[in-house]
Every structure is written in C-alpha cells, then in structure tokens.
Amino acid sequence: MTNRHMTSLGTAQSKQDRVWEALDRFRIEIPSWGFANTGTRFGKFVQNAAATTIEEKFADAGEVNRLTGASPTVALHVLWDLPNGTADVEKIRSLEKRHGVKAGSINPNLFQSQEYKFGSIANPNAEVRKMALGHLLESVEIGRALGSRDISIWVSDGSNYPGTSSIRRRIGWMEEVLGAMHAATSDDQRLLIEYKPFEPAFYHTDIADWGMALHLAQRAGPRAKVLVDTGHHYPGTNIEQIVAWLLHVDELGGFHFNDRKYADDDLTLGSIDPYQVFRIFHEILSAPASTTDEIAYMIDQSHNLKGKMEAMVQTVVTAQELFAKAVLIDGEALSALQDECRLVEAEELFRDSFWTDVRPMVRAWKEARGLPADPLRELRESGYVERISGERAKKNQGAVSSYA
Ligand code: RM4
Ligand code: MN
Ligand code: MN
C-alpha cells in the first residue's frame, strides 16, 4: 500500500487518479457463512436462496466477485465448510477453479462441540485443551495445503458467574495452546486473534478486548497478530483509536467488518455508521506502509432478513466507496493543520473528504475495468437470485428449525 502523504489533492483529475489507484489495490474477503441460513437465538427464518453446501457458497462468492471485482477470496469455517478436515482440501481446490475465487482465511471452530461447554483453549480440563489444539493444528494444515495465509481464531470461552473459574489460570492455558499452534505455522502463515467482550459468556470472556488479544499474540510469536471485528466492542468505543494503537505497535492483522447498533449485530458494513469505517480507513492510510501492507480486510456478517447476495454486494460496494473517500484526505495538509492546532480547518478538511460524493469516480473506475457500473442492478437483472432460489427452495424450506 502506498503512503498517500506522497500525493497532494488538487484538480478533479488527481482526485480521480487517487481513487482509481486505491480501488485497483483494495480487496475485501467475503465469508462463506454470510450466504448460509442464520437466525437469532430465538429462531431462524430460512431464505430460499441461502447456500447450504460448500458448492453453493463458492458459487455465490464467485458471483459477488464477478459483480464487484474486489472479493477474490472467501473465508472458510472449518467445521461448516471442511467437515472432514484436510480430506476436503481437494474439493475446495476444484471449487476454486470452477468459481474463480480462492480460499481465504481459515476459521477454526472452537465453540460448537459439547466438550467446549466450559471452554476450549481455556478449559480447566487438559484433555479438552488438547482436543482444541488438535483442531487448531489441523486448521494450520488446511491453511498450508490451500496456500491461504491467515488462520483467524475466535474463542468463545468464558464463564457465567463470578468465582466459578480462575480467570488468571485460564490466561496461562491459552498462552500454552496458542504458543504450540504458532510453533506449527510456516513462515508464510499468520495466526489472527479475535477478541469480543460479550456473548456467549455472560460474566467473563477469556479474550475480551484488544489488550488481551495483543498480549496473547505477542506471547504466541511474531506471526500472530490481532484481528479487529468492528462489532465486538461496547457501544461508544473509539475503534479507530484501537486501530491506531495496533498500527503503532505493528500488530494489526486484519478486520472482520460489519456494522451494529446494539451488540454483535453483524449488519451490513456502514449501514449504521459509515463515518466510523471512514475514520478507520483514515488511520490505516495515514500509517507507514510497512505496518499496513498485510492487513486483511474481511467481512463477517450474517443477514437474517435481507437477501444474502444483495447484502454482500452492498457491503463490498460500500467498502470500496468509504475507502475511496478516505483516500481523498490530503494527509500532508491535515498534518500541518493538526500541528498548528487549527482545529476547525483540520476538521473541515477531514469532513470534506467524507462528504465528497465518490460514486461517479467509482463508477467510472468500474467501467474502465470492465466491471458492472451498478453491481446491485446487474445482480437483479442477471436473474441469479431467482435461479438459485428455485434450485435451493425445497432444501431450505425443509431446514426450518427452532432453538427453543
Ligand atoms: C463470532 C466471531 C467469529 C465468527 C463467529 C461465527 O461472533 O465474530 O469471527 O467466526 O462469530
Ligand atoms: Mn468475527
Ligand atoms: Mn462476531
């Protein structure tokens, strides 16, 4: 990623150049589970077009990439997408070829087995921790076999009542497992550690915030970094400040992008607070390229009511637009104003980029690159959603379930 301090904002032409150059390099990974039926803890409303097999998920991901040109990789959840572990790698390889999208981050599942009732890598029982480590090591193998760089770990461990488990001893257990996992990674692999303060535990969560994730990453080794899921913060948290700190210590591995109003709502990116995404991109664009080159932009969303294909296209397009807006900030001029404490001018310069309508420039870029100028409209007109709805309806309607 180039440092935008090198360029200056001037004519309309230079704005366009900056936006085009930014869009040429901007990529965002889509999650396989974003196409699947999901619900709330009260129940699930199935969608006729939802994907229930890995073949269908790859087909949908390929279609989103065809429409946007910005999402060439798809994140995989091991248990849901590779239930037979490394034995499923061949199948994934042939799907990559068929649909023109590659396997992206590998997401181990440490939250669904009955054994994990009292925790996975922080479970007081050494046998359960061993089982969790075994799954993590298999995930490392899968990543290596698929040539995918990142393994993203989200640990749902925690406790529901004070005094029921030792918070401190559990830290040591996590350090041990993550250290062993890190030792198994190759030089070109990375281990991304995600944090989340709430859900499913109600009293304490073992990796609750970025400080805990940072410590575990640093303790695990140089190939471990922190993963910021934008929905995993308390309301009001200044996420861009966390991003700035992680960049400063060169420990920002990537993002799970989504939006939220209340909790971990997994809504489409920028649907509630697009200014926040802009502010996050600004922090990244104003940091030295050496700390931002490897950042993995990933989506972690689940669309309960909106069409999944439509929501995914909306997300990728929104990410492109907000990235383009952030690229417009003249970093040199902003720094000068900040240094002189010219507050209103600095703020206005910042806001001016946010309020710039970049859509005509983004549209022109798409046309120049042979991509659909209006991907949502193209999706509608292609008949793709009608076709998959017809093909998948019967299976999906049979999948109605309740969590009660
Ligand atoms: C968690 C977290 C993880 C995701 C699971 C399904 O809240 O965001 O990244 O894999 O949900
Ligand atoms: Mn996530
Ligand atoms: Mn989440």
Side-chain angles (χ1 to χ4, degrees):
M1 202 173 273
T2 51
N3 193 318
R4 73 154 179 234
H5 288 197
M6 304 308 292
T7 51
S8 68
L9 189 62
T11 61
Q13 181 56 37
S14 78
K15 275 192 190 185
Q16 164 148 323
D17 286 350
R18 291 167 69 159
V19 167
W20 282 33
E21 188 265 331
L23 293 175
D24 277 338
R25 64 190 150 98
F26 185 75
R27 297 288 175 271
I28 189 161
E29 181 165 306
I30 42 186
S32 70
W33 56 95
F35 299 109
N37 279 312
T38 49
T40 68
R41 66 195 175 95
F42 299 105
K44 205 192 240 183
F45 296 111
V46 297
Q47 295 190 18
N48 287 340
T52 51
T53 64
I54 186 64
E55 286 81 2
E56 292 171 350
K57 291 172 190 172
F58 258 87
D60 292 355
E63 185 64 11
V64 174
N65 187 43
R66 187 185 74 77
L67 294 165
T68 63
S71 52
T73 57
V74 49
L76 301 174
H77 234 292
V78 176
L79 212 64
W80 306 332
D81 300 327
L82 296 106
N84 308 304
T86 43
D88 284 331
V89 162
E90 267 319 304
K91 186 178 181 184
I92 301 290
R93 280 214 192 98
S94 72
L95 289 170
E96 286 179 330
K97 276 194 211 101
R98 187 166 348 139
H99 299 288
V101 279
K102 291 191 79 64
S105 63
I106 303 300
N107 294 251
N109 190 311
L110 296 171
F111 49 90
Q112 273 187 318
S113 303
Q114 289 303 316
E115 284 87 346
Y116 298 147
K117 185 170 179 180
F118 303 118
S120 60
I121 65 171
N123 194 303
N125 183 332
E127 281 305 308
V128 178
R129 296 201 298 277
K130 208 168 135 196
M131 169 179 161
L133 175 60
H135 180 65
L136 292 174
L137 294 179
E138 176 155 43
S139 303
V140 171
E141 271 311 308
I142 292 171
R144 206 182 345 253
L146 285 169
S148 88
R149 182 190 56 180
D150 296 334
I151 299 141
S152 305
I153 302 176
W154 171 65
V155 162
S156 74
D157 295 25
S159 67
N160 286 354
Y161 297 95
T164 60
S165 199
S166 165
I167 296 173
R168 199 173 43 76
R169 285 170 69 210
R170 291 169 73 107
I171 299 171
W173 294 327
M174 291 192 291
E175 286 175 343
E176 237 172 73
V177 174
L178 294 174
M181 178 189 177
H182 186 278
T185 54
S186 318
D187 283 350
D188 52 356
Q189 285 186 297
R190 299 194 310 175
L191 195 165
L192 306 184
I193 302 176
E194 191 172 349
Y195 58 90
K196 175 175 175 174
F198 44 74
E199 195 202 28
F202 301 117
Y203 166 60
H204 107 278
T205 302
D206 284 292
I207 312 179
D209 67 22
W210 70 279
M212 301 175 201
L214 177 62
H215 167 79
L216 290 170
Q218 288 175 331
R219 184 57 76 91
R223 295 188 294 279
K225 302 274 172 196
V226 177
L227 172 56
V228 177
D229 183 316
T230 48
H232 293 190
H233 302 88
Y234 293 115
T237 301
N238 187 333
I239 301 176
E240 61 270 26
Q241 185 180 11
I242 295 172
V243 169
W245 272 84
L246 288 172
L247 287 168
H248 182 74
V249 295
D250 198 8
E251 292 283 352
L252 180 62
F255 289 90
H256 271 180
F257 277 125
N258 49 53
D259 213 339
R260 52 77 76 79
K261 178 69 182 152
Y262 302 106
D264 188 18
D265 307 335
D266 286 338
L267 302 178
T268 45
L269 177 76
S271 55
I272 304 285
D273 187 359
Y275 196 35
Q276 181 181 74
V277 186
F278 169 84
R279 297 190 308 260
I280 290 173
F281 282 145
H282 166 66
E283 286 307 325
I284 293 166
L285 288 163
S286 57
S290 62
T291 59
T292 60
D293 272 346
E294 304 290 322
I295 293 175
Y297 295 119
M298 302 175 279
I299 298 165
D300 184 2
Q301 293 178 175
S302 139
H303 312 291
N304 298 341
L305 306 178
K306 275 205 273 196
K308 290 156 200 301
M309 287 295 298
E310 293 89 333
M312 207 59 85
V313 170
Q314 276 187 313
T315 302
V316 177
V317 169
T318 303
Q320 288 174 310
E321 290 170 356
L322 290 168
F323 193 71
K325 281 174 185 280
V327 162
L328 292 181
I329 298 175
D330 181 344
E332 227 171 74
L334 184 64
S335 288
L337 292 171
Q338 289 172 339
D339 289 350
E340 291 168 29
C341 298
R342 289 158 66 183
L343 311 189
V344 174
E345 286 160 277
E347 186 189 15
E348 286 302 315
L349 187 152
F350 197 75
R351 277 162 33 96
D352 188 46
S353 298
F354 179 70
W355 289 113
T356 302
D357 187 359
V358 293
R359 289 173 301 179
M361 283 184 267
V362 176
R363 197 186 170 96
W365 171 81
K366 288 174 184 164
E367 278 163 352
R369 299 290 177 263
L371 294 163
D374 182 345
L376 259 188
R377 185 164 162 197
E378 168 82 10
L379 174 64
R380 245 188 332 265
E381 288 174 358
S382 72
Y384 183 82
V385 176
E386 282 74 24
R387 181 166 67 72
I388 59 172
S389 298
E391 290 167 3
R392 303 173 187 174
K394 209 166 151 228
K395 194 154 53 149
N396 278 316
Q397 290 306 326
V400 184
S401 71
S402 159
Y403 295 112

